[in-house]
Amino acid sequence: MWTRCFPAIHKLRQLIATSAVGPIIYAQGDFGWAFPSDQPDDRIWLPRSGGVTLDIGMYLAQLGRIAFPDGTLKDVTATGTTKNGVDYTVSATVAYDRPNAEEEDVGDGLLQMTLTGAANTEERCVLQGTRGRIVLD
């Protein structure tokens, strides 16, 4: 995915690897823009290739892999709305088991993400560590 090449993502990985803000407790982010609903043939509305999760969900999903690089997927809880037969607004929480969670006294890692095709959002990500936070605007 092309965003992995961004200098900000390289720096983020470095900050996490060096525990600059301590172990990451949770990562959260939002990503959305108002999809053009008056264009029914736009790819975003096609049931086999459309919807907000398929189109832009991976950008926030990668945040969990960055925040918890040694974590394994434990659980996913999600809810959302649909429009024109595809997902339109989605909120999800993804839990990661961490190999050192007990010795770091931090528990599971959590990723919270909200995606929408109904509005232009801040498109902001926050990674909260035990000693500080990293904000991507």
Side-chain angles (χ1 to χ4, degrees):
M1 188 170 53
W2 61 278
T3 55
R4 291 181 182 188
C5 299
F6 284 4
I9 298 298
H10 287 286
K11 183 66 174 179
L12 177 61
R13 289 182 190 275
Q14 179 185 40
L15 291 169
I16 291 170
T18 60
S19 293
V21 295
I24 301 299
I25 305 302
Y26 67 84
Q28 65 185 134
D30 68 89
F31 190 3
W33 79 94
F35 294 164
S37 61
D38 61 341
Q39 299 172 11
D41 293 331
D42 190 287
R43 66 171 172 72
I44 201 69
W45 300 116
L46 301 176
R48 292 187 181 191
S49 63
V52 68
T53 304
L54 187 59
D55 195 65
I56 60 177
M58 75 289 233
Y59 299 113
L60 289 176
Q62 81 165 336
L63 192 61
R65 300 301 312 144
I66 294 169
F68 314 109
D70 298 324
T72 55
L73 184 65
K74 180 178 180 180
D75 188 42
V76 177
T77 304
T79 190
T81 63
T82 61
K83 182 174 181 178
N84 298 335
V86 298
D87 58 308
Y88 193 49
T89 298
V90 175
S91 181
T93 300
V94 182
Y96 293 88
D97 272 325
R98 292 195 273 197
N100 300 324
E102 286 186 30
E103 72 184 52
E104 293 175 340
D105 195 29
V106 292
D108 294 335
L110 292 176
L111 166 64
Q112 297 173 320
M113 58 185 196
T114 303
L115 311 162
T116 188
N120 296 319
T121 69
E122 267 190 304
E123 297 179 3
R124 180 178 181 180
C125 299
V126 176
L127 290 88
Q128 183 64 54
T130 57
R131 296 188 310 268
R133 75 185 54 85
I134 302 166
V135 177
L136 299 173
D137 281 321

